[in-house]
CSV table of all heavy atoms in Angstrom, one decimal:
chain,number,residue,atom,x,y,z
A,5,VAL,N,22.6,-12.3,41.3
A,5,VAL,CA,23.8,-12.8,40.7
A,5,VAL,C,23.4,-14.0,39.9
A,5,VAL,O,22.7,-15.0,40.4
A,5,VAL,CB,24.8,-13.2,41.7
A,5,VAL,CG1,26.0,-13.8,41.1
A,5,VAL,CG2,25.3,-12.0,42.5
A,6,GLY,N,23.9,-14.2,38.7
A,6,GLY,CA,23.5,-15.3,37.8
A,6,GLY,C,24.5,-15.6,36.7
A,6,GLY,O,25.6,-15.0,36.7
A,7,ALA,N,24.2,-16.6,36.0
A,7,ALA,CA,25.0,-17.0,34.9
A,7,ALA,C,24.3,-17.6,33.7
A,7,ALA,O,23.1,-18.0,33.9
A,7,ALA,CB,26.1,-18.0,35.3
A,8,ARG,N,24.8,-17.5,32.5
A,8,ARG,CA,24.3,-18.2,31.3
A,8,ARG,C,25.2,-19.1,30.7
A,8,ARG,O,26.3,-18.7,30.3
A,8,ARG,CB,23.9,-17.0,30.3
A,8,ARG,CG,22.9,-15.9,30.8
A,8,ARG,CD,21.5,-16.5,30.9
A,8,ARG,NE,20.6,-15.4,31.2
A,8,ARG,CZ,20.2,-15.2,32.5
A,8,ARG,NH1,20.7,-15.9,33.5
A,8,ARG,NH2,19.3,-14.3,32.8
A,9,VAL,N,24.9,-20.3,30.8
A,9,VAL,CA,25.9,-21.4,30.4
A,9,VAL,C,25.3,-22.2,29.2
A,9,VAL,O,24.1,-22.6,29.3
A,9,VAL,CB,26.2,-22.3,31.5
A,9,VAL,CG1,27.2,-23.4,31.1
A,9,VAL,CG2,26.7,-21.6,32.7
A,10,THR,N,26.0,-22.3,28.1
A,10,THR,CA,25.6,-23.2,27.0
A,10,THR,C,26.6,-24.4,26.8
A,10,THR,O,27.8,-24.2,26.8
A,10,THR,CB,25.6,-22.3,25.7
A,10,THR,OG1,24.8,-21.2,25.9
A,10,THR,CG2,25.1,-23.1,24.5
A,11,LEU,N,26.0,-25.5,26.7
A,11,LEU,CA,26.8,-26.8,26.6
A,11,LEU,C,26.3,-27.6,25.4
A,11,LEU,O,25.2,-27.4,24.8
A,11,LEU,CB,26.7,-27.6,27.8
A,11,LEU,CG,27.1,-26.9,29.2
A,11,LEU,CD1,26.7,-27.7,30.4
A,11,LEU,CD2,28.6,-26.6,29.2
A,12,LEU,N,27.0,-28.7,25.1
A,12,LEU,CA,26.6,-29.7,24.1
A,12,LEU,C,26.3,-29.0,22.7
A,12,LEU,O,25.3,-29.2,22.1
A,12,LEU,CB,25.4,-30.5,24.6
A,12,LEU,CG,25.5,-31.2,25.9
A,12,LEU,CD1,24.2,-31.9,26.3
A,12,LEU,CD2,26.7,-32.2,25.8
A,13,ASP,N,27.3,-28.1,22.4
A,13,ASP,CA,27.1,-27.4,21.1
A,13,ASP,C,25.9,-26.6,21.0
A,13,ASP,O,25.2,-26.6,19.9
A,13,ASP,CB,27.3,-28.4,19.9
A,13,ASP,CG,28.6,-29.0,19.8
A,13,ASP,OD1,29.6,-28.3,20.2
A,13,ASP,OD2,28.8,-30.2,19.4
A,14,GLY,N,25.4,-26.1,22.1
A,14,GLY,CA,24.2,-25.2,22.1
A,14,GLY,C,22.9,-26.0,22.4
A,14,GLY,O,21.9,-25.4,22.4
A,15,ALA,N,23.0,-27.3,22.6
A,15,ALA,CA,21.8,-28.1,22.7
A,15,ALA,C,21.2,-28.0,24.2
A,15,ALA,O,20.1,-28.3,24.4
A,15,ALA,CB,22.0,-29.6,22.5
A,16,LEU,N,22.1,-27.6,25.2
A,16,LEU,CA,21.7,-27.5,26.5
A,16,LEU,C,22.1,-26.1,27.0
A,16,LEU,O,23.3,-25.6,26.9
A,16,LEU,CB,22.5,-28.5,27.4
A,16,LEU,CG,22.3,-28.5,28.9
A,16,LEU,CD1,20.8,-28.7,29.2
A,16,LEU,CD2,23.2,-29.5,29.6
A,17,SER,N,21.1,-25.4,27.6
A,17,SER,CA,21.4,-24.1,28.2
A,17,SER,C,20.9,-24.2,29.7
A,17,SER,O,19.9,-24.7,30.1
A,17,SER,CB,20.5,-23.0,27.6
A,17,SER,OG,20.9,-22.9,26.2
A,18,LEU,N,21.8,-23.6,30.5
A,18,LEU,CA,21.5,-23.6,32.0
A,18,LEU,C,21.7,-22.1,32.5
A,18,LEU,O,22.7,-21.4,32.2
A,18,LEU,CB,22.7,-24.5,32.8
A,18,LEU,CG,22.7,-25.9,32.5
A,18,LEU,CD1,23.8,-26.6,33.1
A,18,LEU,CD2,21.3,-26.6,32.9
A,19,ASN,N,20.7,-21.7,33.2
A,19,ASN,CA,20.7,-20.3,33.8
A,19,ASN,C,20.4,-20.4,35.3
A,19,ASN,O,19.3,-20.3,35.8
A,19,ASN,CB,19.6,-19.5,33.1
A,19,ASN,CG,19.7,-19.5,31.6
A,19,ASN,OD1,20.8,-19.5,31.1
A,19,ASN,ND2,18.6,-19.5,30.9
A,20,PRO,N,21.5,-20.5,36.1
A,20,PRO,CA,21.4,-20.5,37.6
A,20,PRO,C,21.3,-19.0,38.1
A,20,PRO,O,22.1,-18.1,37.5
A,20,PRO,CB,22.6,-21.2,38.1
A,20,PRO,CG,23.6,-21.0,37.0
A,20,PRO,CD,22.9,-20.9,35.7
A,21,THR,N,20.5,-18.7,39.0
A,21,THR,CA,20.3,-17.4,39.6
A,21,THR,C,20.1,-17.4,41.1
A,21,THR,O,19.4,-18.3,41.6
A,21,THR,CB,19.2,-16.7,38.9
A,21,THR,OG1,19.3,-16.6,37.6
A,21,THR,CG2,19.1,-15.2,39.5
A,22,VAL,N,20.9,-16.6,41.8
A,22,VAL,CA,20.4,-16.4,43.3
A,22,VAL,C,20.2,-15.0,43.5
A,22,VAL,O,20.8,-14.0,42.8
A,22,VAL,CB,21.6,-16.9,44.2
A,22,VAL,CG1,21.8,-18.3,44.0
A,22,VAL,CG2,23.0,-16.1,43.8
A,23,PHE,N,19.4,-14.6,44.4
A,23,PHE,CA,19.0,-13.2,44.6
A,23,PHE,C,18.5,-13.0,46.0
A,23,PHE,O,18.2,-13.9,46.7
A,23,PHE,CB,17.9,-12.7,43.6
A,23,PHE,CG,16.6,-13.6,43.7
A,23,PHE,CD1,15.6,-13.1,44.6
A,23,PHE,CD2,16.4,-14.7,43.0
A,23,PHE,CE1,14.4,-13.9,44.7
A,23,PHE,CE2,15.2,-15.4,43.1
A,23,PHE,CZ,14.2,-15.0,44.0
A,24,GLN,N,18.5,-11.6,46.4
A,24,GLN,CA,17.9,-11.2,47.7
A,24,GLN,C,17.0,-10.0,47.4
A,24,GLN,O,17.5,-9.0,46.8
A,24,GLN,CB,19.0,-10.9,48.7
A,24,GLN,CG,18.3,-10.5,50.0
A,24,GLN,CD,19.5,-10.2,51.0
A,24,GLN,OE1,19.9,-9.0,51.1
A,24,GLN,NE2,19.9,-11.1,51.9
A,25,LEU,N,15.8,-10.0,47.9
A,25,LEU,CA,14.9,-9.0,47.7
A,25,LEU,C,14.5,-8.3,49.1
A,25,LEU,O,14.1,-9.1,50.0
A,25,LEU,CB,13.6,-9.4,47.0
A,25,LEU,CG,12.4,-8.5,46.9
A,25,LEU,CD1,12.8,-7.3,46.0
A,25,LEU,CD2,11.1,-9.1,46.5
A,26,GLN,N,14.8,-7.1,49.2
A,26,GLN,CA,14.6,-6.4,50.5
A,26,GLN,C,13.3,-5.4,50.3
A,26,GLN,O,13.4,-4.6,49.4
A,26,GLN,CB,15.9,-5.6,51.0
A,26,GLN,CG,17.0,-6.4,51.2
A,26,GLN,CD,18.3,-5.6,51.5
A,26,GLN,OE1,18.2,-4.5,51.5
A,26,GLN,NE2,19.4,-6.3,51.6
A,27,GLN,N,12.3,-5.6,51.2
A,27,GLN,CA,11.2,-4.8,51.0
A,27,GLN,C,10.9,-4.0,52.2
A,27,GLN,O,11.0,-4.5,53.3
A,27,GLN,CB,9.9,-5.7,50.8
A,27,GLN,CG,10.0,-6.4,49.4
A,27,GLN,CD,9.1,-7.5,49.3
A,27,GLN,OE1,9.3,-8.6,49.9
A,27,GLN,NE2,8.0,-7.5,48.5
A,28,LYS,N,10.6,-2.7,52.1
A,28,LYS,CA,10.2,-1.8,53.2
A,28,LYS,C,8.7,-1.4,53.1
A,28,LYS,O,8.2,-1.1,52.1
A,28,LYS,CB,11.1,-0.6,53.2
A,28,LYS,CG,10.8,0.4,54.3
A,28,LYS,CD,11.8,1.6,54.2
A,28,LYS,CE,11.5,2.5,55.4
A,28,LYS,NZ,11.7,2.0,56.8
A,29,ASP,N,8.0,-1.5,54.3
A,29,ASP,CA,6.6,-1.2,54.4
A,29,ASP,C,5.9,-2.3,53.5
A,29,ASP,O,5.1,-1.8,52.6
A,29,ASP,CB,6.3,0.3,54.0
A,29,ASP,CG,6.7,1.2,55.1
A,29,ASP,OD1,6.8,0.8,56.2
A,29,ASP,OD2,7.1,2.3,54.7
A,30,LEU,N,6.1,-3.5,53.7
A,30,LEU,CA,5.6,-4.5,52.8
A,30,LEU,C,4.0,-4.5,52.8
A,30,LEU,O,3.4,-4.5,53.9
A,30,LEU,CB,6.1,-5.9,53.3
A,30,LEU,CG,5.6,-7.1,52.6
A,30,LEU,CD1,6.3,-7.1,51.2
A,30,LEU,CD2,6.0,-8.4,53.3
A,31,GLN,N,3.4,-4.5,51.6
A,31,GLN,CA,2.0,-4.6,51.5
A,31,GLN,C,1.5,-6.0,51.4
A,31,GLN,O,2.0,-6.8,50.6
A,31,GLN,CB,1.5,-3.9,50.2
A,31,GLN,CG,1.9,-2.3,50.2
A,31,GLN,CD,1.5,-1.8,48.8
A,31,GLN,OE1,1.0,-2.4,47.9
A,31,GLN,NE2,1.9,-0.4,48.7
A,32,VAL,N,0.6,-6.3,52.2
A,32,VAL,CA,0.1,-7.7,52.4
A,32,VAL,C,-1.5,-7.7,52.4
A,32,VAL,O,-2.1,-6.8,53.0
A,32,VAL,CB,0.6,-8.3,53.7
A,32,VAL,CG1,-0.1,-9.7,53.9
A,32,VAL,CG2,2.1,-8.5,53.7
A,33,ARG,N,-2.0,-8.7,51.7
A,33,ARG,CA,-3.5,-8.8,51.7
A,33,ARG,C,-3.9,-9.5,52.9
A,33,ARG,O,-3.5,-10.6,53.3
A,33,ARG,CB,-3.9,-9.7,50.4
A,33,ARG,CG,-5.4,-9.6,50.2
A,33,ARG,CD,-5.7,-10.5,49.0
A,33,ARG,NE,-5.5,-11.9,49.2
A,33,ARG,CZ,-5.8,-12.8,48.4
A,33,ARG,NH1,-6.2,-12.6,47.2
A,33,ARG,NH2,-5.5,-14.1,48.7
A,34,ARG,N,-4.9,-8.9,53.6
A,34,ARG,CA,-5.4,-9.4,54.8
A,34,ARG,C,-6.8,-10.0,54.6
A,34,ARG,O,-7.6,-9.5,53.7
A,34,ARG,CB,-5.6,-8.3,55.9
A,34,ARG,CG,-4.3,-7.9,56.4
A,34,ARG,CD,-4.5,-7.2,57.8
A,34,ARG,NE,-5.0,-8.1,58.8
A,34,ARG,CZ,-5.3,-7.7,60.0
A,34,ARG,NH1,-5.3,-6.5,60.3
A,34,ARG,NH2,-5.9,-8.6,60.8
A,35,GLU,N,-7.1,-11.1,55.2
A,35,GLU,CA,-8.5,-11.7,55.1
A,35,GLU,C,-8.8,-12.1,56.6
A,35,GLU,O,-8.2,-12.9,57.2
A,35,GLU,CB,-8.5,-13.0,54.3
A,35,GLU,CG,-8.4,-12.7,52.9
A,35,GLU,CD,-8.5,-14.0,52.0
A,35,GLU,OE1,-8.9,-15.0,52.5
A,35,GLU,OE2,-8.4,-13.8,50.8
A,36,ILE,N,-9.8,-11.3,57.2
A,36,ILE,CA,-10.3,-11.6,58.6
A,36,ILE,C,-11.8,-11.6,58.7
A,36,ILE,O,-12.5,-11.2,57.7
A,36,ILE,CB,-9.8,-10.5,59.6
A,36,ILE,CG1,-10.3,-9.2,59.2
A,36,ILE,CG2,-8.2,-10.5,59.5
A,36,ILE,CD1,-10.0,-8.1,60.2
A,37,VAL,N,-12.3,-12.3,59.7
A,37,VAL,CA,-13.7,-12.3,59.9
A,37,VAL,C,-14.1,-11.7,61.3
A,37,VAL,O,-13.4,-12.2,62.3
A,37,VAL,CB,-14.2,-13.8,59.9
A,37,VAL,CG1,-15.7,-13.9,60.1
A,37,VAL,CG2,-14.0,-14.4,58.5
A,38,GLU,N,-14.9,-10.8,61.2
A,38,GLU,CA,-15.3,-10.1,62.5
A,38,GLU,C,-16.8,-10.0,62.6
A,38,GLU,O,-17.5,-9.5,61.5
A,38,GLU,CB,-14.7,-8.7,62.7
A,38,GLU,CG,-13.3,-8.7,62.9
A,38,GLU,CD,-12.7,-7.3,63.3
A,38,GLU,OE1,-13.6,-6.4,63.4
A,38,GLU,OE2,-11.5,-7.2,63.5
A,39,ALA,N,-17.4,-10.5,63.6
A,39,ALA,CA,-19.0,-10.4,63.8
A,39,ALA,C,-19.6,-11.0,62.6
A,39,ALA,O,-20.7,-10.5,62.1
A,39,ALA,CB,-19.4,-9.0,64.0
A,40,GLY,N,-19.0,-12.2,62.0
A,40,GLY,CA,-19.7,-12.9,60.9
A,40,GLY,C,-19.4,-12.3,59.6
A,40,GLY,O,-20.0,-12.7,58.5
């Protein structure tokens, strides 16, 4: 959900946004050390 707001005769632009991302079976990079 967001908005596009223009103020000061176009000299100022504001773009606020909020969001939710839902991920299933998330892929993650692993870094581990085993036996050196």
Side-chain angles (χ1 to χ4, degrees):
V5 177
R8 303 287 184 264
V9 182
T10 302
L11 303 170
L12 303 178
D13 294 327
L16 175 63
S17 297
L18 298 173
N19 301 326
T21 306
V22 294
F23 61 90
Q24 183 180 87
L25 176 65
Q26 300 174 1
Q27 296 163 285
K28 182 176 177 59
D29 290 330
L30 183 66
Q31 296 174 5
V32 172
R33 187 181 71 180
R34 290 197 63 187
E35 292 185 3
I36 63 174
V37 177
E38 288 189 4

